[in-house]
Amino acid sequence: MSGFGIRALKKVQEEDQKQEQKNYVKYIVVGDNSYGLMTFYRLNKKYPGQVKFISKNPFLKEDLEAEWKCNLNSIRSEDVASSITSLNPRFEVFKTAENVHFYKDSKFHVFGGRAKPHEVKENEVFFTEPAYNANLMAFFDSGDVENLDSEIEKHQLNKIIASIELTQTTDLADQENFRIETGEFESYVCEKLFWCESPKKFLALIKDKSTLPDNVYSYCAGIHMDQGISVYFECDRKIYDDAGTLVLPQSMTHEWGSFILDVEAYNPDTNTQNFKALTFVGEDDLQEEDLAKKIKLMKRVIERVLPELSKARIEQTIKFSDEYYIYGMNDGLSTELKSENVQFLGHGAPINVENPEKYQYLARGIYAIMTNDL
């Protein structure tokens, strides 16, 4: 009996301590990525002092720029380009090239021509349409960019979320709809939660999934994710005559998928030409040594096709994401999900637009954030 009593007392003490360290915030943004930063920025301008930004690691302007450098261009249709421009003309969206090229039989061919490309996997097809460039920093008001880091640092919490619990409001002044457990004897409660990572991850963290509204559960359960690794190469010479998207087979003998490149225009003033390259990776290639091998293969294949690269001095920025590609979004739920206390933003967000399948990656994320009534 004494053992039971000690355990019971310890539990009461733990609950008391947990209660003492409960932190109330009206709005919480979660996202270890550019979507989290952008959502926090918009919310904080509208509700200064009422927003916290939770990310596992510090995520500041430098991290945003590094992520954007590695992301392949995600505006791949005139309709999406027009809609993004209509949200903010300062984005200055323009097409990089008229065609996307694939490599076969020692030369480049145009998609849609007579030559048949190598197998292009389902998660790669999106990039076979010509890309549009955009001035993404136009998302921020020009006067805010200089002080962006200092404002973020005031409100950013670097925490690992252990679980999320739906709660019931007990105080009309401070409505509590979510409790976020971030560690031992520590929790944050909020009225509204803005989730900027994969909705699948949100669902996995919910303690009691039966408490979720049916539409929220259905939306999250339908989401799927693919891992991807992308590299931004900064080269001190010209490596390709044009700009645009190139699709290269990883292997001439195996159906391993593609390396997809977005090549920037050569800059004669600085004698530099930069490009970003993406490949999707399977569950068997997630160890650090496997990813390193994949990057080496990427560089070797690109050098074979663009031999000037082997002569260049290169700076690399690498991004790996276990949710590089999110798919399975049920956009038919977008209208009713707007009334929920959790809002999904980022490239896994539901959007209400014609032809939503054209909005993927950063294009979907920006559209969702800018059209959400934050």
Side-chain angles (χ1 to χ4, degrees), residues 351-368:
I351 56 174
N352 184 13
V353 66
E354 288 187 22
N355 302 314
E357 69 281 355
K358 294 182 179 180
Y359 293 74
Q360 297 187 34
Y361 302 96
L362 189 58
R364 177 176 282 256
I366 287 178
Y367 188 88

Side-chain angles (χ1 to χ4, degrees), residues 158-225:
N158 300 131
K159 307 287 183 180
I160 295 176
I161 296 176
S163 64
I164 302 173
E165 183 179 359
L166 275 68
T167 59
Q168 292 186 339
T169 299
T170 55
D171 187 336
L172 292 179
D174 292 337
Q175 296 186 42
E176 301 178 7
N177 293 313
F178 293 96
R179 178 193 297 274
I180 297 176
E181 302 286 349
T182 61
E184 189 176 8
F185 306 129
E186 181 183 47
S187 67
Y188 290 85
V189 294
C190 65
E191 177 181 331
K192 202 159 187 178
L193 178 61
F194 295 84
W195 189 266
C196 301
E197 298 187 352
S198 168
K200 199 81 169 183
K201 293 181 178 178
F202 169 80
L203 181 62
L205 289 167
I206 295 295
K207 274 187 176 180
D208 183 356
K209 295 173 178 48
S210 67
T211 60
L212 282 174
D214 290 344
N215 54 8
V216 174
Y217 180 87
S218 175
Y219 186 81
C220 294
I223 295 290
H224 301 278
M225 304 182 296

Side-chain angles (χ1 to χ4, degrees), residues 81-237:
S82 297
S83 67
I84 295 292
T85 305
S86 70
L87 295 174
N88 183 349
R90 293 196 300 118
F91 278 131
E92 301 171 355
V93 179
F94 60 93
K95 188 181 285 190
T96 60
E98 287 300 319
N99 298 296
V100 175
H101 294 82
F102 65 90
Y103 191 75
K104 185 179 181 180
D105 299 331
S106 302
K107 60 183 179 180
F108 284 108
H109 306 266
V110 175
F111 277 97
R114 288 192 297 175
K116 184 179 178 181
H118 62 278
E119 183 195 32
V120 178
K121 295 189 178 296
E122 188 175 350
N123 53 8
E124 300 169 346
V125 171
F126 176 77
F127 298 103
T128 61
E129 295 294 331
Y132 292 72
N133 274 334
N135 173 25
L136 298 177
M137 286 305 293
F139 178 88
F140 305 98
D141 294 341
S142 56
D144 295 336
V145 174
E146 185 176 341
N147 299 316
L148 189 59
D149 281 355
S150 60
E151 192 62 28
I152 293 168
E153 288 171 336
K154 291 178 190 175
H155 305 286
Q156 190 175 68
L157 303 169
N158 300 131
K159 307 287 183 180
I160 295 176
I161 296 176
S163 64
I164 302 173
E165 183 179 359
L166 275 68
T167 59
Q168 292 186 339
T169 299
T170 55
D171 187 336
L172 292 179
D174 292 337
Q175 296 186 42
E176 301 178 7
N177 293 313
F178 293 96
R179 178 193 297 274
I180 297 176
E181 302 286 349
T182 61
E184 189 176 8
F185 306 129
E186 181 183 47
S187 67
Y188 290 85
V189 294
C190 65
E191 177 181 331
K192 202 159 187 178
L193 178 61
F194 295 84
W195 189 266
C196 301
E197 298 187 352
S198 168
K200 199 81 169 183
K201 293 181 178 178
F202 169 80
L203 181 62
L205 289 167
I206 295 295
K207 274 187 176 180
D208 183 356
K209 295 173 178 48
S210 67
T211 60
L212 282 174
D214 290 344
N215 54 8
V216 174
Y217 180 87
S218 175
Y219 186 81
C220 294
I223 295 290
H224 301 278
M225 304 182 296
D226 284 351
Q227 301 86 205
I229 188 164
S230 55
V231 184
Y232 186 69
F233 293 86
E234 299 174 77
C235 310
D236 68 344
R237 67 179 59 227

Side-chain angles (χ1 to χ4, degrees), residues 10-23:
K10 185 178 180 182
K11 183 176 180 181
V12 170
Q13 290 173 337
E14 289 176 351
E15 290 299 322
D16 287 344
Q17 194 167 358
K18 185 183 292 187
Q19 185 68 27
E20 288 173 2
Q21 296 194 19
K22 183 180 78 172
N23 304 281

